[in-house]
Coordinates of all heavy atoms in Angstrom, one line a residue:
Chain A
H213 N 97.9 95.0 108.2 CA 98.2 94.4 106.9 C 97.5 95.0 105.8 O 98.0 95.2 104.6 CB 97.8 92.9 106.9 CG 98.3 92.2 108.1 ND1 97.6 92.2 109.3 CD2 99.4 91.6 108.4 CE1 98.2 91.5 110.2 NE2 99.4 91.2 109.7
I214 N 96.3 95.6 106.0 CA 95.4 96.2 104.9 C 96.2 97.4 104.3 O 96.3 97.4 103.0 CB 94.1 96.7 105.5 CG1 93.2 95.5 105.9 CG2 93.4 97.6 104.4 CD1 91.9 95.9 106.6
G215 N 96.8 98.2 105.1 CA 97.6 99.3 104.6 C 99.0 99.0 104.2 O 99.5 99.4 103.2
L216 N 99.7 98.1 105.0 CA 101.1 98.0 104.8 C 101.6 96.6 104.2 O 102.6 96.6 103.6 CB 101.8 98.3 106.2 CG 101.4 99.6 106.8 CD1 102.4 99.8 108.1 CD2 101.5 100.8 105.9
I217 N 100.8 95.6 104.4 CA 101.2 94.3 103.9 C 99.9 93.7 103.2 O 99.5 92.6 103.6 CB 101.7 93.3 104.9 CG1 102.5 94.0 106.1 CG2 102.7 92.3 104.3 CD1 102.8 93.1 107.3
P218 N 99.3 94.3 102.2 CA 98.0 93.8 101.7 C 98.0 92.4 101.3 O 97.0 91.7 101.4 CB 97.7 94.8 100.5 CG 99.0 95.7 100.3 CD 99.8 95.5 101.6
K219 N 99.1 91.9 100.7 CA 99.1 90.5 100.3 C 98.8 89.6 101.5 O 98.2 88.6 101.3 CB 100.5 90.1 99.7 CG 100.6 90.4 98.3 CD 101.8 89.8 97.6 CE 101.9 90.1 96.1 NZ 103.3 90.2 95.6
Q220 N 99.3 89.9 102.7 CA 99.0 89.1 103.8 C 97.4 89.2 104.2 O 96.9 88.3 104.8 CB 99.9 89.5 105.0 CG 100.0 88.3 106.0 CD 101.1 88.6 107.1 OE1 101.9 89.4 107.0 NE2 100.9 88.0 108.3
A221 N 96.9 90.4 103.9 CA 95.5 90.5 104.2 C 94.6 89.8 103.1 O 93.4 89.7 103.2 CB 95.0 92.0 104.2
G222 N 95.2 89.3 102.1 CA 94.5 88.5 101.1 C 94.1 89.3 99.9 O 93.3 88.7 99.0
F223 N 94.6 90.4 99.7 CA 94.3 91.1 98.3 C 95.6 91.8 97.8 O 96.5 92.0 98.5 CB 93.1 92.1 98.5 CG 93.3 93.2 99.5 CD1 93.9 94.4 99.1 CD2 93.0 93.0 100.8 CE1 94.1 95.4 100.1 CE2 93.1 94.0 101.8 CZ 93.7 95.2 101.4
D224 N 95.5 92.1 96.6 CA 96.6 92.6 95.9 C 96.2 93.7 94.9 O 96.0 93.5 93.8 CB 97.2 91.4 95.1 CG 98.7 91.6 94.7 OD1 99.2 92.8 95.0 OD2 99.2 90.7 94.1
I225 N 96.0 94.9 95.4 CA 95.6 96.0 94.6 C 96.6 96.9 94.1 O 96.4 97.7 93.1 CB 94.4 96.8 95.3 CG1 94.9 97.4 96.6 CG2 93.2 95.9 95.4 CD1 94.0 98.4 97.2
F226 N 97.8 96.9 94.7 CA 98.8 97.9 94.3 C 99.7 97.2 93.3 O 100.0 96.1 93.4 CB 99.6 98.4 95.6 CG 98.7 99.0 96.6 CD1 99.0 98.8 97.9 CD2 97.9 100.1 96.2 CE1 98.3 99.4 98.8 CE2 97.1 100.7 97.2 CZ 97.3 100.4 98.5
E227 N 100.1 98.0 92.3 CA 101.0 97.5 91.4 C 102.4 97.2 92.0 O 103.0 96.2 91.6 CB 101.3 98.5 90.3 CG 101.6 98.0 88.9 CD 101.0 98.7 87.8 OE1 99.8 98.8 87.7 OE2 101.8 99.4 87.1
N228 N 102.9 97.9 92.9 CA 104.1 97.7 93.5 C 103.8 97.4 95.0 O 103.4 98.2 95.7 CB 105.0 98.9 93.5 CG 105.6 99.1 92.1 OD1 106.4 98.3 91.7 ND2 105.3 100.1 91.5
N229 N 104.3 96.3 95.5 CA 104.2 95.9 96.8 C 105.5 96.0 97.5 O 106.5 95.6 96.9 CB 103.5 94.5 97.0 CG 102.0 94.6 97.0 OD1 101.4 95.2 97.9 ND2 101.5 94.0 96.0
F230 N 105.6 96.6 98.6 CA 106.8 96.7 99.3 C 106.9 95.4 100.1 O 106.0 95.1 100.9 CB 106.8 97.9 100.3 CG 106.6 99.2 99.6 CD1 105.6 100.0 100.0 CD2 107.4 99.6 98.5 CE1 105.3 101.2 99.3 CE2 107.1 100.7 97.9 CZ 106.1 101.6 98.2
G231 N 108.0 94.6 100.0 CA 108.0 93.3 100.5 C 109.3 93.0 101.3 O 110.1 93.8 101.5
G232 N 109.5 91.7 101.7 CA 110.5 91.3 102.4 C 111.6 90.5 101.8 O 112.6 90.0 102.3
D233 N 111.6 90.7 100.3 CA 112.6 90.1 99.5 C 113.3 91.1 98.8 O 112.8 91.6 97.8 CB 111.9 89.0 98.6 CG 112.9 88.1 97.9 OD1 114.1 88.5 97.9 OD2 112.5 87.1 97.3
I234 N 114.5 91.6 99.3 CA 114.9 92.9 98.7 C 116.3 92.7 98.0 O 116.8 93.7 97.5 CB 115.0 94.0 99.8 CG1 116.1 93.5 100.9 CG2 113.7 94.3 100.4 CD1 116.4 94.7 101.8
A235 N 116.8 91.5 97.9 CA 118.1 91.3 97.2 C 117.8 91.0 95.8 O 117.6 89.7 95.4 CB 119.0 90.3 97.9
G236 N 117.8 91.9 94.9 CA 117.7 91.7 93.4 C 118.9 90.8 92.9 O 119.9 90.8 93.6
P237 N 118.7 90.3 91.7 CA 119.7 89.4 91.2 C 121.0 90.0 91.0 O 122.1 89.3 91.1 CB 119.1 88.9 89.8 CG 118.0 89.9 89.6 CD 117.5 90.4 90.8
R238 N 121.1 91.4 90.7 CA 122.4 92.0 90.5 C 123.0 92.7 91.7 O 124.0 93.3 91.6 CB 122.3 93.0 89.3 CG 122.4 92.2 88.0 CD 122.4 93.2 86.8 NE 121.1 93.9 86.7 CZ 120.1 93.4 85.9 NH1 120.3 92.2 85.3 NH2 118.9 94.0 85.8
V239 N 122.3 92.6 92.8 CA 122.9 93.3 94.0 C 124.0 92.5 94.5 O 124.0 91.4 94.8 CB 121.8 93.4 95.1 CG1 122.3 94.1 96.3 CG2 120.6 94.2 94.6
P240 N 125.2 93.3 94.6 CA 126.4 92.6 95.2 C 126.2 92.2 96.7 O 125.6 93.0 97.4 CB 127.5 93.5 95.0 CG 127.0 94.7 94.3 CD 125.5 94.7 94.3
G241 N 126.7 91.1 97.1 CA 126.8 90.7 98.5 C 126.3 89.3 98.7 O 125.8 88.7 97.9
E242 N 126.6 88.8 99.9 CA 126.2 87.5 100.3 C 124.7 87.5 100.6 O 124.2 88.1 101.4 CB 127.0 87.1 101.6 CG 126.7 85.6 102.0 CD 127.3 85.2 103.3 OE1 127.6 86.1 104.1 OE2 127.4 84.1 103.6
R243 N 124.1 86.5 99.8 CA 122.6 86.3 100.0 C 122.3 85.7 101.4 O 123.0 84.7 101.7 CB 122.1 85.3 99.0 CG 121.4 86.0 97.8 CD 122.4 86.8 97.0 NE 121.8 87.6 96.1 CZ 122.3 88.7 95.5 NH1 123.5 89.1 96.0 NH2 121.7 89.5 94.6
I244 N 121.4 86.3 102.1 CA 121.0 85.7 103.5 C 119.6 85.7 103.6 O 118.9 86.5 103.0 CB 121.8 86.5 104.6 CG1 121.3 88.0 104.7 CG2 123.2 86.5 104.5 CD1 121.7 88.7 106.0
T245 N 119.1 84.8 104.5 CA 117.7 84.9 104.9 C 117.7 85.1 106.4 O 118.5 84.6 107.2 CB 117.0 83.5 104.7 OG1 117.1 83.3 103.2 CG2 115.6 83.5 105.0
I246 N 116.8 86.0 106.8 CA 116.6 86.3 108.3 C 115.3 85.8 108.6 O 114.2 86.1 107.9 CB 116.7 87.8 108.6 CG1 118.1 88.3 108.2 CG2 116.5 87.9 110.1 CD1 118.2 89.8 108.2
K247 N 115.2 84.9 109.6 CA 113.9 84.3 110.0 C 113.9 84.5 111.6 O 114.9 84.4 112.3 CB 113.9 82.8 109.8 CG 113.4 82.5 108.4 CD 113.3 81.0 108.2 CE 113.0 80.5 106.8 NZ 111.7 80.8 106.4
G248 N 112.7 84.7 112.0 CA 112.5 84.7 113.5 C 111.0 84.9 113.9 O 110.1 85.0 113.1
R249 N 110.8 84.9 115.2 CA 109.5 85.1 115.7 C 109.5 86.2 116.8 O 110.7 86.6 117.2 CB 109.0 83.9 116.4 CG 108.7 82.7 115.4 CD 108.2 81.5 116.0 NE 109.4 80.8 116.6 CZ 109.3 79.7 117.4 NH1 108.1 79.1 117.6 NH2 110.3 79.2 118.0
V250 N 108.4 86.8 117.0 CA 108.4 87.9 118.0 C 107.5 87.3 119.2 O 106.3 87.1 119.0 CB 107.7 89.2 117.4 CG1 107.7 90.3 118.5 CG2 108.5 89.6 116.2
F251 N 108.2 87.2 120.3 CA 107.4 86.6 121.5 C 106.9 87.6 122.4 O 107.5 88.5 122.7 CB 108.3 85.6 122.2 CG 108.8 84.4 121.5 CD1 109.9 84.4 120.7 CD2 107.9 83.3 121.4 CE1 110.3 83.3 120.0 CE2 108.3 82.2 120.6 CZ 109.5 82.2 120.0
D252 N 105.6 87.4 122.9 CA 105.0 88.3 123.9 C 105.4 87.8 125.3 O 106.1 86.9 125.5 CB 103.5 88.4 123.7 CG 102.8 87.2 124.1 OD1 103.3 86.2 124.7 OD2 101.5 87.1 123.8

Side-chain angles (χ1 to χ4, degrees):
Chain A
H213 315 86
I214 292 174
L216 307 190
I217 330 172
K219 270 188 183 154
Q220 202 173 335
F223 58 91
D224 199 357
I225 55 166
F226 300 134
E227 205 146 294
N228 285 296
N229 275 294
F230 304 126
D233 192 345
I234 61 168
R238 277 187 289 274
V239 176
E242 183 187 18
R243 262 66 191 158
I244 62 168
T245 300
I246 302 168
K247 274 182 188 289
R249 289 177 291 175
V250 180
F251 293 95
D252 69 12

